[in-house]
Amino acid sequence: MSGYKNIWALVEVQGGQVKSIGLEMLVGGRRLADAVSEKLVAIVMGLDTKEAVKAAVSYGADQVIVLDGNDYGEYNTEGYTYALEQLINKYKPSAMLIGASINGRDLAPRLAARLKTGLAADCTGAEIDAATGTISWTRPAYGGNTMAIVETPEARPQLATVRASVYKRGEPDTQRSAEIIEESIELPAGIVRTSIIEKIAEVAEGIKLEDAEVVISGGRGVGNVENFEMLKELASILNGAVGASRAAVDAGWISHLYQVGQTGKTVSPKLYIACGMSGAIQHLAGMSGSDRVVAINRDPDAPIFEVADYGIVGSIKEVVPALIAEIKKLKA
Amino acid sequence: MNILVCIKQVPDIEKIKIDSAKNEMIMTGVPNIVNQFDTYALETAVRIKDANPETRVIVVTMGPAQTKDALKNCLSVGADKAYMICDDILSDSDTLVTSYVLSQAAKVIEEREGQPFSLFLCGKQAADGDTGHVGPQLAEYLGLPQITSAMEISIDGNKVLVRRLTEEGAEIKAAEMPALVTMSQTEYEPRYASVKTKMAANRAEIPVLTASDLGLDAACVGLGGSPSKLIKTFVPERKKGGLKIEEETGELSAQKLVALLSDAGAI
Ligand SMILES: Cc1cc2nc3c(=O)[nH]c(=O)nc-3n(C[C@H](O)[C@H](O)[C@H](O)COP(=O)(O)OP(=O)(O)OC[C@H]3O[C@@H](n4cnc5c(N)ncnc54)[C@H](O)[C@@H]3O)c2cc1C
Ligand SMILES: Nc1ncnc2c1ncn2[C@@H]1O[C@H](COP(=O)(O)O)[C@@H](O)[C@H]1O
């Protein structure tokens, strides 16, 4: 185990754009690195990574290892695993943080199995022991009913996927500088055995759900598409994004891109307003990290009220328009 | 072709209650079920079999003796055969060890069935640990390509085509078989068992594989062989009795909420 040091954060680049969850990994990694006086290293992977490298430095990296090339332009499990295995064997980091995005949760377990090391999934916190360098990862289990502390005491590197919005991005510091190391790793022919046949891109309107500080989420109780428009209006005056339960997505009122929960996205906004949803555990799993929760439901016994800071018992048809009017007044 | 579906028995998390005095989960009376994502994996396999009758669907689980019930369940909704991996030395294995054991079992089952598997299906994640590690880790141990979080699968010759969600929308991914796919929720619901299929499942013989059947070294499995260690668990603090707003009209309630949120600096 000796010889392993420094904290790594994976920063993915897609279409020349840095993925914001990667920058959040730097924010979290910075704290761990400081606690043990080690370096924070950003691993920037993708095609056209110039802007991402700058962003990584301004979000706290002491060193940036860049892997730029066509092989990395599109995320693929086997290519990314191969390249990271090479880098990890060469530089021997003590830990690596990977965003718990769809890609991150595809990659991390494969990489952990390749390296025969431990992995903590979907973490919401991390503390490092200054003497041993072992990290205690906090993570939800049983749909968020319980939290677990897991560690990888005897293997290195320690790997984790970390939820979006656990480490909030502050202002970038553009004055910072860092050592930039350009690596080039050519993938052996035939190593990537999956291919993308078709991409069905949907352009999300407005602020991205994962990044939003306010989320207005609608469930089956919203009733129809027209009422969803009300939620969108409320979201827009609060500078937020719209979310949905599975039931609302299944009803066809909104695209699955907006689904929050176990099969959808995980959000941790400052304010989450749940409109017309019961609060099923699979939904709660995706929003339990919200700072403040408001629930609007006409059933006073709906379980969503158990996790709400403020609950309005009433119909969304009445309450939401009144909320819109009242907030408009406040903002005027 | 033969399909191996890895299933896990988990407590029905929807039935878990919290003892707020002791701050722990109340597990007594919580039924064990087949992990829901695994039921989608099984249903998907059985649908492939419906379309290609020469297909055989085999389920496997690693777990304590009571997981036999979960396997019987699977047999009653379309699986052709079930294998159970059961050995005391396997308890407290982490996901890496679990995947290793499953990979060894897959090889033994292939031998016993006289045919290699073309497709390996897992659930996207299991409702107990919620990790989603075992699928990709099993793919790594078996040296197979993986596609995670599938909503739909189709077979095209020796290729598997998968529709999956992405952060930007959806995509269709392809891999040559053998391959491993993890299943998210599908648009179709798993089928139900009938009295007849339940009775047949009850009579079915379920071979048990032990650590020695799989050639496992005791030092490499269980807690000792697991790099990830569970240190402790705790129930997160609940928002005890948030404020209920129940004014005369929805409008008055809305006004009160806005005042409260604004005072709290939340809007
Ligand atoms: C494996 C698996 C994964 C899943 N993953 C997810 C997931 O990722 N995300 C997710 O959301 N779900 C998921 N689900 C589904 C989940 O179990 C619930 O079925 C779903 O969340 C219910 O959505 P809902 O609360 O909108 O609908 P319901 O449970 O039907 O609740 C509707 C609520 O609206 C209220 N209501 C009705 N009319 C009004 C009105 N006019 N005004 C105010 N309130 C009203 C009702 O009182 C009720 O409480 C998953 C399920 C499974 C099995
Ligand atoms: N003990 C096990 N036996 C068989 N399959 C398992 C086991 N544990 C996990 N799996 C499979 O791997 C998937 C992901 O599980 P997990 O990594 O525990 O979240 C499950 O949905 C199952 O398909």
Side-chain angles (χ1 to χ4, degrees), chain A residues 2 4 13-14 40 42 121 149 158 163 165 171 189 198 218 232 254 271 284 295 313 320:
Chain A
S2 66
Y4 284 86
V13 181
Q14 197 167 31
L40 172 65
I149 306 272
Q158 311 167 73
R163 270 194 186 178
S165 301
E171 285 303 310
E198 190 187 341
K232 284 188 189 161
I254 186 156
L271 179 62
L284 301 185
V313 182
V320 175

Side-chain angles (χ1 to χ4, degrees), chain A residues 106 110 114 147 151 309 311, chain B residues 140 144 148 234 243 245:
Chain A
D106 180 270
R110 184 96 192 199
R114 178 82 42 101
M147 303 297 286
E151 293 177 0
D309 299 279
Chain B
E140 171 66 17
L144 298 175
T148 51
F234 60 95
L243 187 66
I245 306 172

Side-chain angles (χ1 to χ4, degrees), chain B residues 6-8 35 37-38 60-63 95 98 102 121-135:
Chain B
C6 299
I7 66 114
K8 188 174 190 190
N35 182 41
F37 289 117
D38 305 352
V60 65
T61 194
M62 166 180 135
T95 59
T98 301
L102 288 172
L121 294 181
C122 285
K124 168 185 184 270
Q125 67 191 60
D128 48 4
D130 280 331
T131 76
H133 291 172
V134 169

Side-chain angles (χ1 to χ4, degrees), chain A residues 269-326:
Chain A
K270 293 202 170 117
L271 179 62
Y272 190 88
I273 306 189
C275 305
M277 51 176 63
S278 59
I281 184 126
Q282 294 91 349
H283 185 81
L284 301 185
M287 49 68 73
S288 56
S290 308
D291 288 346
R292 257 198 200 83
V293 178
V294 172
I296 306 167
N297 194 308
R298 65 178 181 200
D299 172 8
D301 298 322
I304 188 76
F305 286 124
E306 286 166 32
V307 299
D309 299 279
Y310 304 108
I312 295 188
V313 182
S315 170
I316 63 114
K317 285 174 225 153
E318 229 181 293
V319 177
V320 175
L323 273 180
I324 292 172
E326 204 53 33

Side-chain angles (χ1 to χ4, degrees), chain B residues 71-114:
Chain B
L71 291 172
K72 284 187 177 162
N73 252 315
C74 296
L75 288 167
S76 73
V77 289
D80 295 299
K81 179 132 191 207
Y83 283 87
M84 180 159 129
I85 309 161
C86 192
D87 201 310
D88 287 345
I89 67 165
L90 300 177
S91 62
D92 295 323
S93 295
D94 70 355
T95 59
L96 188 68
V97 169
T98 301
S99 322
Y100 173 64
V101 174
L102 288 172
S103 73
Q104 291 293 102
K107 290 173 200 162
V108 169
I109 296 171
E110 282 180 338
E111 212 157 280
R112 294 201 185 175
E113 295 294 318

